[in-house]
Amino acid sequence: MSDTQHNIPNELKATAKAHANIAVAKYWGKRNSDLNLPFFDSVSFNVEDLTTETTAVWNEDDFRDALSINGWQVPEHTLGRLTRILNTIRSLTGITKRCILSSKNNFPLSTGLASSASGYAAAAAAAAAAAGLELSESELSSLARLGSGSAARSIPAGWTRWHAGNLEDGSDSHAVSIAPPDHWPLHVFVIQVSEGPKSISSSEAMQQCQSSPYWPTYLQQASQAADFAQNAILQRDFAALTEAMHTNALQLHALAMTCNPPICFFAPKSIEILQHILRASRGIQVCCTLDAGANVVVLCEETAYPFVKNDIIAFGLPFVQSRIGGGVTVQAKPPHLSSE
Ligand code: PMV
């Protein structure tokens, strides 16, 4: 982020909106956990209807940074990863003020619905814009990565690839768009199997998974998953996308179940839905994935849509129906604050 531009605006306030993303080829394991640098590339799509909107204000009068999410004040000692983002902005701009962030999420936190991705992407974009820091998309993606790895992929639009990079400082570890949202307008269903918070954080689980006897094989297989997924997406090859999603997700869950102590992210309903979609995918264009949680995300083509929607309603669980989403958007002066 050396060639960044910086003009400190009069009013140090901005709002940003970012979408959650779901990985087709997942990020799992860090080569550097301070900087959230991954072992290998990952590929995902943004979800249009799962969003976080965050307003950031740099304020002279406050003694400490603060974050509220849906009106709930996040305890100061848990701001750690956000502080990394804010300190980076302070060192790039010379701003010494504190940053007050208020966030609105339109979906439950920490249930495997990738709230950290949209959360840190929106926070990084809002805080940087409020500080007058003009970052390129790659630089902003690197900045969001400091909060949570997958947040790097919520900065660019549509289908995105996070390049793991090789540099020790992580400056080449950022996501880029590989195709816009309308490249392949699939239907997305996010089925909420679990409402409660996850029992283990992704970072902890990633670390624990390295104790599995299958870790070396997983590392070797997962390192090739991004190329395979990207080709499937660019060619709009649904059979290949299905293979990419199912293989990659189930390898991750097999790894988790075989580490010490074992981790099982599935709830009984996750398995019921998974079995149903695996069966259905032999006949119609539908596939699914599960992140480090119990929720199931289903993708389907237009031709399969009526059947898939009926089946999903029949599961009797809350779900969000959506499309492939855009990238982060920033308003330097949000309309609802313009009269203040
Ligand atoms: O970005 P984190 O630390 O929340 O980890 C995300 C991990 C997965 O969601 C399971 C995979 C991914 O690539 O999004």
Side-chain angles (χ1 to χ4, degrees):
M1 286 175 217
S2 49
D3 54 351
T4 51
Q5 296 199 8
H6 178 232
N7 304 302
I8 296 183
N10 292 335
E11 191 189 38
L12 302 180
K13 181 189 283 183
T15 296
K17 188 172 179 177
H19 303 272
N21 71 71
I22 300 295
V24 175
K26 296 181 193 303
Y27 149 57
W28 198 248
K30 309 184 195 208
R31 67 174 202 272
N32 176 326
S33 36
D34 283 338
L35 298 174
N36 287 335
L37 299 179
F39 286 116
F40 44 77
D41 292 13
S42 55
V43 168
S44 64
F45 55 87
N46 290 340
V47 182
E48 183 61 24
D49 296 278
L50 297 183
T51 61
T52 302
E53 189 176 85
T54 299
T55 296
V57 185
W58 291 92
N59 202 337
E60 200 95 67
D61 308 327
D62 286 287
F63 295 107
R64 44 184 73 94
D65 299 322
L67 167 70
S68 67
I69 305 176
N70 294 346
W72 171 73
Q73 201 62 42
V74 176
E76 198 191 341
H77 67 275
T78 61
L79 286 185
R81 296 188 294 167
L82 178 65
T83 307
R84 274 189 238 161
I85 293 178
L86 300 178
N87 284 345
T88 303
I89 296 173
R90 275 190 274 265
S91 75
L92 288 170
T93 58
I95 286 181
T96 52
K97 300 170 196 260
R98 306 289 106 191
C99 192
I100 311 303
L101 297 113
S102 45
S103 239
K104 275 180 284 170
N105 247 299
N106 74 345
F107 56 97
L109 306 171
S110 285
T111 58
L113 282 187
S115 56
S116 70
S118 55
Y120 284 111
L133 193 57
E134 286 177 27
L135 299 176
S136 66
E137 186 177 88
S138 300
E139 290 167 334
L140 190 53
S141 172
S142 275
L143 183 67
R145 190 201 71 231
L146 298 176
S148 92
S150 56
R153 296 188 313 244
S154 281
I155 299 293
W159 301 86
T160 76
R161 178 171 183 150
W162 172 13
H163 292 278
N166 297 308
L167 299 176
E168 268 180 37
D169 69 356
S171 53
D172 59 347
S173 185
H174 56 251
V176 296
S177 179
I178 56 170
D182 61 359
H183 163 74
W184 200 10
L186 298 177
H187 290 277
V188 181
F189 297 90
V190 181
I191 308 172
Q192 198 185 320
V193 173
S194 136
E195 259 187 57
K198 293 192 285 186
S199 56
I200 180 167
S201 73
S202 296
S203 295
E204 249 179 287
M206 283 180 202
Q207 184 58 39
Q208 205 160 306
C209 274
Q210 294 186 33
S211 66
S212 164
Y214 305 117
W215 170 251
T217 313
Y218 174 81
L219 194 55
Q220 186 256 329
Q221 297 267 313
S223 300
Q224 294 161 13
D227 283 343
F228 189 80
Q230 177 165 341
N231 281 337
I233 292 160
L234 294 183
Q235 289 165 26
R236 300 189 193 88
D237 179 343
F238 201 90
L241 180 74
T242 301
E243 186 183 334
M245 296 239 305
H246 291 172
T247 305
N248 187 254
L250 291 176
Q251 284 180 351
L252 189 156
H253 287 273
L255 184 78
M257 287 191 217
T258 52
C259 71
N260 187 14
I263 308 166
C264 181
F265 292 108
F266 296 147
K269 264 291 196 195
S270 320
I271 298 184
E272 184 190 326
I273 299 168
L274 177 65
Q275 285 182 332
H276 187 91
I277 302 292
L278 290 180
R279 243 189 335 262
S281 70
R282 291 188 221 129
I284 59 171
Q285 293 186 306
V286 62
C287 60
C288 69
T289 189
L290 290 99
D291 277 340
N295 300 313
V296 187
V297 179
V298 176
L299 278 182
C300 76
E301 282 273 23
E302 205 56 52
T303 46
Y305 172 75
F307 310 106
V308 172
K309 176 128 193 207
N310 273 344
D311 288 354
I312 287 177
I313 292 170
F315 292 135
L317 292 168
F319 66 91
V320 175
Q321 184 178 338
S322 192
R323 290 289 200 169
I324 310 297
V328 72
T329 50
V330 178
Q331 287 177 302
K333 198 169 184 188
H336 64 283
L337 295 172
S338 59
S339 58
E340 287 180 10

